[in-house]
Amino acid sequence: MTTNPLFQHPIISSAELSLEEINLILDTAEKIKQQPMPDYLRGKLLASCFFEPSTRTRLSFEAAMTRLGGQVIGFAQADSTSTKKQESLSDSMRVIGKYVDALVLRHHAEGAARLAAEVCDKPIINAGDGANLHPSQTLLDLFSIRESQQRLENLHIAFVGDLKYGRTVHSLAKTCARYPNIRFYFVAADALKLPEHICDFLYENRIKFSFHTDINDIINRVDILYMTRMQRERFEANEFNSIQTRYRLTVDTLKAAKPTLKIMHPLPRVDEITVEVDDTAHAYYFQQAENGLYVRQALLALLLRPEMI
């Protein structure tokens, strides 16, 4: 029996995973999607520790553990914990780790998951630490790209909308850049352009990329169109209305797209993708959200059982 390299391994950042480990997670998720394993983690207990609100991430992790036969305890908001009594995150994680086999943590503070992994003797999965990292989102995005395009190399990928503050964009771009022959198109208003440190990373790794201000300029070139929500509070009302129109994806925009183009979005969406797009063959964001269940099952299976599936 081959021991998997992720057994008891904290998942803090996708950048800390080797390509072999990433591909192992994706392959395991594919196997679980094709053939459910309802008893695989029977007797295991997961702590779902969400100090910040979450819908898809929290519920998909809890569903993933339950569908593998395990059980879940936890909380969905900080107000229901001893944080209100000024207990430190470090102490909370030390104690909760004594009750369970693994912990999923979402916290508003950058670096919270790394701190938890340092003090807790059970594996921690980072479910988002402020504007910093969200590795399971990156992994489910990779899984969805591979599933929809049958590859993770030789792809043209466009990111649209909030490229400045969107942690999903930053993490996915840096991870996709590790695969051969990737070309990026970054489509955003000047106020939401990609941060310089991400650009520097892409330059250093000799990744081809370009900046654009109109989706129509790139729609006929890309295999993946990754849309993001723009945050109204970052603009004056008139400025936001102008930008919102320019970065709203409609059925008409898709007339020039490749037949194989797939549209992704980390959700929630507001109105950056019109509902009419949902009925096109290009829409893939609901499948992408569903894939979060299989990728998170794969993570839990690999962290909590030493063998490979």
Side-chain angles (χ1 to χ4, degrees):
M1 185 181 298
T2 303
T3 301
N4 86 72
L6 293 174
F7 179 58
Q8 297 294 308
H9 191 296
I11 305 295
I12 307 303
S13 165
S14 56
E16 295 173 357
L17 296 169
S18 68
L19 278 186
E20 290 75 17
E21 290 168 337
I22 290 173
N23 291 331
L24 172 61
I25 295 166
L26 303 186
D27 291 343
T28 302
E30 185 175 355
K31 291 175 184 176
I32 292 173
K33 184 172 184 176
Q34 292 172 352
Q35 184 168 350
M37 305 181 71
D39 296 313
Y40 194 73
L41 292 182
R42 186 168 300 281
K44 300 292 186 182
L45 186 60
L46 175 70
S48 177
C49 304
F50 279 72
F51 291 85
E52 276 194 322
S54 171
T55 302
R56 281 158 298 278
T57 302
R58 180 175 66 84
L59 292 180
S60 63
F61 264 117
E62 294 179 6
M65 189 64 174
T66 303
R67 287 185 177 275
L68 288 171
Q71 294 181 292
V72 181
I73 61 171
F75 50 86
Q77 55 185 8
D79 286 350
S80 62
T81 74
S82 290
T83 299
K84 290 194 71 172
K85 302 175 184 177
Q86 308 302 311
E87 181 176 47
S88 69
L89 176 65
S90 176
D91 283 0
S92 294
M93 294 297 98
R94 284 178 189 269
V95 171
I96 296 171
K98 302 300 181 185
Y99 304 151
V100 298
D101 300 291
L103 300 86
V104 175
L105 172 66
R106 171 166 286 189
H107 199 277
H108 60 84
E110 293 187 13
R114 195 171 303 283
L115 170 64
E118 290 172 355
V119 301
C120 184
D121 59 359
K122 302 294 172 50
I124 299 284
I125 301 176
N126 184 5
D129 56 342
N132 191 25
L133 302 168
H134 194 354
S136 67
Q137 178 70 48
T138 300
L139 291 165
L140 76 88
D141 289 345
L142 286 174
F143 182 86
S144 299
I145 292 171
R146 189 177 80 166
E147 180 178 68
S148 68
Q149 301 296 326
Q150 302 301 305
R151 65 190 191 278
L152 282 170
E153 65 280 340
N154 303 311
L155 289 171
H156 286 218
I157 302 173
F159 294 96
V160 180
D162 181 1
L163 310 188
K164 182 175 183 179
Y165 301 102
R167 64 186 174 195
T168 58
V169 170
H170 303 167
S171 183
L172 182 58
K174 291 176 73 173
T175 306
C176 283
R178 298 166 69 182
Y179 290 87
N181 301 319
I182 296 294
R183 169 68 157 90
F184 293 131
Y185 304 84
F186 297 110
V187 185
D190 287 343
L192 293 176
K193 288 181 68 173
L194 196 71
E196 285 190 16
H197 70 92
I198 304 294
C199 297
D200 291 341
F201 173 88
L202 298 176
Y203 279 126
E204 290 166 5
N205 288 274
R206 300 182 178 180
I207 305 301
K208 293 181 179 179
F209 66 95
S210 54
F211 299 107
H212 306 268
T213 56
D214 193 324
I215 299 175
N216 292 294
D217 292 343
I218 54 88
I219 192 66
N220 63 334
R221 309 185 215 174
V222 299
D223 304 298
I224 296 291
L225 185 66
Y226 197 100
M227 301 292 295
T228 64
R229 178 178 64 91
M230 289 188 291
Q231 299 174 54
R232 181 184 296 269
E233 61 271 19
R234 300 190 187 278
F235 298 91
E236 297 294 332
N238 290 338
E239 183 185 15
F240 179 82
N241 291 335
S242 172
I243 290 173
Q244 181 187 42
T245 302
R246 195 190 318 165
Y247 299 105
R248 179 184 293 132
L249 185 65
T250 67
V251 171
D252 284 342
T253 310
L254 294 170
K255 289 178 180 177
K258 295 179 181 181
T260 54
L261 168 76
K262 296 301 179 186
I263 304 159
M264 294 173 57
H265 192 304
L267 302 179
R269 71 167 164 184
V270 182
D271 50 14
E272 59 275 6
I273 302 175
T274 62
V275 294
E276 291 78 14
V277 173
D278 298 353
D279 296 324
T280 71
H282 301 294
Y284 212 73
Y285 28 91
F286 293 122
Q287 293 96 318
Q288 175 189 0
E290 179 188 349
N291 284 337
L293 175 63
Y294 309 117
V295 168
R296 287 162 179 145
Q297 284 187 79
L299 284 172
L300 292 168
L302 290 164
L303 264 61
L304 292 176
R305 290 275 296 265
E307 68 273 17
M308 304 233 254
I309 291 175

